[in-house]
Amino acid sequence: MSAQFEVVVDVDRPIEDVFTYLADGRNDPEFSPRVLKMEKSPDGDTHVGTVFHSMVKDAGMRSERDFEIYELTAPTRMRWHEVSHNSITAQDGGYDLEPTPDGGTRVRLFNVLEGHGVGKVLLPLAAGASRKDAPAFGRRMKEAVETSA
């Protein structure tokens, strides 16, 4: 059983800048309050095979999550999947970017969540919360990218 959420937002920055910012998952804590810590392995540019190690807080509980980049097509597409084992995981996620006529970038973020064990029971609640927060998440992401150097 899986559930998906997504958000689309227009960012007032060129597509190359937006892609560079989002491809470095270490920026995620700037717009995702649930991400407490994010590290990258290996160091250097993000590429297929890069893993982002995070500490997140969901529903008052902390967990470690590892996301592997499995597709990267600069500056338009990035895909990841969660390789850690938690009750709810992102089996697939990504960014799709396209330039807007005014020189900005339209960003689509999505995650397909999957429940495991007790997570199968919790999945509808987690997906509902993710969908509810999606517009605010998009605004936070937009603001973080636009104010980045």
Side-chain angles (χ1 to χ4, degrees):
M1 175 180 206
S2 64
Q4 180 172 326
F5 74 92
E6 68 178 70
V7 64
V8 177
V9 64
D10 286 350
V11 178
D12 296 327
R13 293 287 297 272
I15 192 169
E16 293 81 8
D17 294 351
V18 177
F19 184 85
T20 298
Y21 180 87
L22 294 175
D24 189 348
R26 294 173 297 184
N27 292 320
D28 285 13
E30 294 178 13
F31 56 88
S32 182
R34 65 185 283 276
V35 179
L36 304 174
K37 181 175 85 171
M38 182 72 79
E39 297 173 350
K40 179 180 177 181
S41 177
D43 285 331
D45 292 338
T46 300
H47 59 275
V48 171
T50 295
V51 176
F52 288 97
H53 310 281
S54 65
M55 173 67 70
V56 301
K57 187 174 183 180
D58 292 313
M61 297 174 50
R62 291 179 182 223
S63 62
E64 292 185 16
R65 296 182 175 271
D66 296 334
F67 297 90
E68 180 181 33
I69 303 299
Y70 71 86
E71 183 180 341
L72 197 66
T73 306
T76 59
R77 186 174 164 99
M78 181 172 24
R79 295 290 185 266
W80 59 77
H81 60 252
E82 188 168 347
V83 294
S84 50
H85 302 284
N86 289 290
S87 58
I88 297 175
T89 60
Q91 92 181 38
D92 193 27
Y95 293 115
D96 293 310
L97 290 77
E98 62 181 83
T100 60
D102 62 358
T105 306
R106 178 158 294 133
V107 179
R108 174 183 171 259
L109 160 71
F110 76 94
N111 271 307
V112 178
L113 305 176
E114 184 170 352
H116 311 278
V118 71
K120 291 179 182 179
V121 175
L122 300 174
L123 182 62
L125 295 171
S130 295
R131 287 185 195 112
K132 182 178 178 183
D133 182 56
F137 187 93
R139 287 189 298 274
R140 291 190 306 266
M141 181 175 59
K142 172 183 171 65
E143 182 179 317
V145 176
E146 289 177 353
T147 59
S148 66

